[in-house]
Amino acid sequence: MWNEVLEFNRNMVQEYLDNQAELAVKTKIGYESGLKIFFYWVKQNLNNKSCLDIKKKEFVRYLNWLTNRGLSDSAIRFKKSCVSAFCNYIMMMYEEEHPTFRSFVTSDMKVVKTGYVHEKIPLTPDEYVMLCEELEKREEWQKLAYFVFSYSTGCRRAEARQLLKEVVGYEPKEKEITIIDEDGTEKKAVSKSYLTHTIRCKGASIVGKQRKLKFGEDAMAWLKKMD
């Protein structure tokens, strides 16, 4: 689909992305997606015209198209900001080559408040147990390790992907805790937890937030099984 877009637009998008050193890796991926969606829309609806010739009223049509597709307010604002930043780059870097170009994205283009939000519903304890049992029955060790690790740490997919095999050899940190059994009797038990190596998590800077994620013996057991 991207190859169907006007070559000039494709080259300009690639140049813009290559010169955004301050953006975090995942943020840059989001910008790339937003720009590709826009310029494929241009191909489909504006006869594949050059980005230098797009008019304000045509970009308003694009925003309306996004709204009619049921996107959330924040998703539309993000896609708008991707194109706006792209236009600002052209004005700054190509002032001499294209002196008459002005951004077709302006602040007075308001994003309609759709009120649509992708609701995030966490798993219940019963659903969590059911999924673990089903994956174990299927002997899907990699999926089970990923599921338990990400559930216990609350990490994102891109963060879990950075986990190294070496963690299976890490020594646990042990702590004595008090638990209450089914009969209501207090008992002493040893709790084991592990810390990962440093993982780059979501953050505003290009390097993100450097963190070590804490996980338990249950996740470690499946990581070793996968190994």
Side-chain angles (χ1 to χ4, degrees):
M1 292 170 64
W2 182 235
N3 288 334
E4 297 175 14
V5 170
L6 183 70
E7 183 179 9
F8 177 78
N9 291 341
R10 287 190 281 116
N11 291 340
M12 290 296 289
V13 167
Q14 190 59 54
E15 179 189 323
Y16 165 73
L17 294 171
D18 290 343
N19 283 280
Q20 301 309 303
E22 76 282 1
L23 293 180
V25 175
K26 293 301 175 183
T27 303
K28 187 179 290 187
I29 291 174
Y31 271 64
E32 179 179 4
S33 174
L35 289 170
K36 284 185 174 182
I37 290 171
F38 171 65
F39 281 110
Y40 190 75
W41 180 89
V42 171
K43 183 262 177 186
Q44 294 287 81
N45 297 273
L46 301 180
N47 200 29
N48 219 7
K49 65 163 57 178
S50 165
C51 59
L52 302 176
D53 299 325
I54 297 174
K55 307 300 181 184
K56 293 180 181 179
K57 63 182 180 180
E58 292 170 333
F59 188 72
V60 171
R61 284 177 54 196
Y62 173 67
L63 293 179
N64 291 334
W65 178 78
L66 293 174
T67 302
N68 292 333
R69 288 181 65 86
L71 272 71
S72 65
D73 306 354
S74 60
I76 299 173
R77 281 194 296 270
F78 178 75
K79 287 176 173 56
K80 177 186 175 185
S81 68
C82 292
V83 181
S84 177
F86 172 77
C87 290
N88 291 338
Y89 172 84
I90 295 177
M91 286 194 298
M92 179 178 66
M93 301 299 290
Y94 288 91
E95 183 179 7
E96 295 180 1
E97 293 86 343
H98 307 294
T100 61
F101 176 78
R102 293 293 180 269
S103 175
F104 49 82
V105 184
T106 60
S107 58
D108 60 343
M109 295 177 179
K110 303 300 182 183
V111 174
V112 177
K113 294 184 177 180
T114 63
Y116 181 74
V117 178
H118 292 279
E119 185 179 3
K120 297 179 180 179
I121 304 176
L123 292 173
T124 65
D126 288 342
E127 290 172 332
Y128 172 77
V129 171
M130 183 272 290
L131 282 171
C132 287
E133 290 177 345
E134 181 63 27
L135 290 172
E136 183 178 6
K137 183 174 68 176
R138 298 181 185 182
E139 299 185 356
E140 297 273 11
W141 309 126
Q142 185 179 40
K143 292 179 182 178
L144 186 51
Y146 166 73
F147 177 59
V148 176
F149 176 79
S150 60
Y151 185 87
S152 61
T153 60
C155 70
R156 295 172 172 81
R157 180 176 55 190
E159 296 162 0
R161 189 181 294 127
Q162 299 174 51
L163 192 67
L164 301 176
K165 289 180 66 176
E166 67 183 42
V167 298
V168 298
Y170 287 6
E171 293 296 323
K173 180 180 180 180
E174 298 185 353
K175 179 181 179 181
E176 188 177 79
I177 60 173
T178 300
I179 62 173
I180 300 176
D181 62 19
E182 295 179 353
D183 299 325
T185 305
E186 291 189 355
K187 292 183 177 181
K188 296 293 183 179
V190 176
S191 172
K192 294 183 179 181
S193 62
Y194 301 83
L195 280 179
T196 67
H197 48 83
T198 301
I199 288 178
R200 186 185 66 80
C201 300
K202 184 177 181 181
S205 68
I206 188 171
V207 295
K209 293 181 180 178
Q210 306 295 305
R211 295 178 54 202
K212 292 185 177 181
L213 305 180
K214 183 178 180 180
F215 63 99
E217 188 68 25
D218 52 350
M220 177 60 86
W222 300 122
L223 287 168
K224 288 182 177 179
K225 185 79 172 179
M226 182 185 71
D227 184 62

